Amino acid sequence: MLLDVRDLKVSFDTPDGVVEAVRGLDLRLAAGESVGIVGESGSGKSQSVLALMGLLADNARVSGSATLQTDTGALELIGAKRRVLERIRGARIAMIFQDPMTTLNPHLRIATQIKEVITRHRGLRGRAATKAAIEMLEAVKIPDPARRIRYYPHQFSGGMRQRVMIAMALACEPDILIADEPTTALDVTVQADILDLMAELRQRTNVALLLITHDLGVVAGQCERLLVMRHGEVVERGAIDPIFEAPAHAYTRDLLAAVPKLETPHFARASS
Ligand SMILES: Nc1ncnc2c1ncn2[C@@H]1O[C@H](COP(=O)(O)OP(=O)(O)OP(=O)(O)O)[C@@H](O)[C@H]1O
Ligand SMILES: [Mg+2]
């Protein structure tokens, strides 16, 4: 198993007491697999994946286990040294967020930021790095990449920025891509383009995907399996089709009722 998470718990110490954000998450992700995590706001989706990456806030307490399979054996992520986690992040596990501006440096041209990743990961510099960076923008279908690579982040639209983030995330050829509401901030047509792009790149690179969203329609199009979280716990899990056909939990039924009919998996199957 590529990633094996067992009984992951995250709590936060606050002046008003302890907030239990994640109350025992079990999750397994095989190489190349795509798993969706859905649930309402505050259900613990983001804190679960931030815990895996060692990116929780200072007032967090975490317990449980998350082992990542590497070339040199299983590596425990929970409680791992910062140096170890920094090496894992980007190289083995890449992450994209709802708002690319939180990750991109607003003061540096896109070229500089992409080339930094390319240099670190592939050891390319100068013209070779620039050429590789332009190819990366091409791969995520940014038009006129040779010119746009000189842009600053604010010169891109939200959708284009998310494409840049996807390019940078996949540049390191990670085993796992964690996407936390990657299209939530985008309007619907742009959202569909980005999701198509992610699906296409996933097929090409065989990267495993952990996709967080509050939108079951998005999960239906992207994932093979689904976890439904509520109040820090998984209330339902399994393959997409059986859950869509007969959700066991009332909360899942409520979520499903909110999905527009056109986005059910039956439609996706019929049209693909
Ligand atoms: N630093 C913190 N201190 C205290 N509580 C926190 C902290 N960070 C997160 N929380 C709490 O942890 C809980 C889970 O948050 P989390 O970010 O995982 O939600 P989420 O499922 O990702 O929601 P959303 O869909 O809104 O992104 C929430 O109740 C949140 O308020
Ligand atoms: Mg979140």
Side-chain angles (χ1 to χ4, degrees):
M1 195 53 56
L2 180 57
L3 178 69
D4 192 344
V5 180
R6 304 210 175 199
D7 201 23
L8 179 68
K9 293 189 176 125
V10 179
S11 62
F12 294 98
D13 293 318
T14 76
D16 301 325
V18 176
V19 175
E20 291 183 0
V22 183
R23 305 164 186 246
L25 173 73
D26 288 290
L27 162 73
R28 275 165 274 291
L29 185 68
E33 193 183 20
S34 175
V35 173
I37 304 180
V38 299
E40 67 198 347
S41 186
S43 56
K45 306 181 299 293
S46 294
Q47 303 311 316
S48 297
V49 295
L50 290 173
L52 303 178
M53 309 277 287
L55 293 173
L56 291 168
D58 289 340
N59 63 332
R61 267 185 284 172
V62 54
S63 69
S65 158
T67 47
L68 176 72
Q69 209 55 51
T70 72
D71 302 337
T72 52
L75 175 76
E76 176 60 56
L77 299 176
I78 305 303
K81 290 206 172 69
R82 229 176 87 177
R83 187 171 42 80
V84 174
L85 289 172
E86 274 167 10
R87 190 154 43 78
I88 295 298
R89 281 202 297 268
R92 304 294 316 283
I93 306 179
M95 218 173 154
I96 54 177
F97 300 93
Q98 176 170 335
D99 180 7
M101 286 307 264
T102 57
T103 317
L104 292 169
N105 183 332
H107 306 294
L108 296 177
R109 290 181 202 278
I110 290 296
T112 312
Q113 303 188 55
I114 299 185
K115 279 158 70 179
E116 190 190 307
V117 178
I118 289 170
T119 302
R120 195 166 2 113
H121 182 66
R122 290 204 255 161
L124 299 175
R125 287 169 197 285
R127 281 213 188 133
T130 305
K131 185 165 170 277
I134 291 169
E135 282 166 7
M136 274 171 49
L137 292 189
E138 247 163 18
V140 293
K141 306 198 166 84
I142 290 188
D144 199 4
R147 184 168 62 90
R148 286 213 166 82
I149 200 158
R150 298 186 45 76
Y151 281 13
Y152 290 91
H154 74 265
Q155 291 175 285
F156 285 92
S157 67
M160 290 283 175
R161 272 201 292 270
Q162 200 55 289
R163 286 170 192 268
V164 172
M165 286 314 303
I166 292 170
M168 286 168 70
L170 295 180
C172 297
E173 296 166 355
D175 299 315
I176 302 173
L177 175 65
I178 297 177
D180 190 350
E181 305 274 6
T183 59
T184 305
L186 306 171
D187 67 46
V188 179
T189 50
V190 179
Q191 199 171 62
D193 288 347
I194 297 284
L195 291 170
D196 285 350
L197 173 69
M198 276 177 51
E200 186 191 319
L201 293 174
R202 228 166 61 71
Q203 219 160 30
R204 208 186 308 157
T205 60
N206 199 38
V207 66
L209 176 69
L210 208 50
L211 176 65
I212 295 177
T213 171
H214 59 264
D215 186 339
L216 270 175
V218 168
V219 165
Q222 296 286 318
C223 302
E224 292 129 38
R225 284 195 298 123
L226 165 67
L227 260 66
V228 182
M229 284 186 80
R230 191 169 193 224
H231 302 322
E233 282 172 327
V234 175
V235 294
E236 185 152 5
R237 66 167 76 226
I240 298 281
D241 281 7
I243 292 183
F244 269 68
E245 273 154 34
H249 200 280
Y251 177 61
T252 314
R253 286 198 287 276
D254 290 346
L255 284 178
L256 273 169
V259 179
K261 276 282 175 289
L262 287 181
E263 290 181 66
T264 66
H266 302 284
F267 179 82
R269 261 201 310 265
S271 67
S272 61

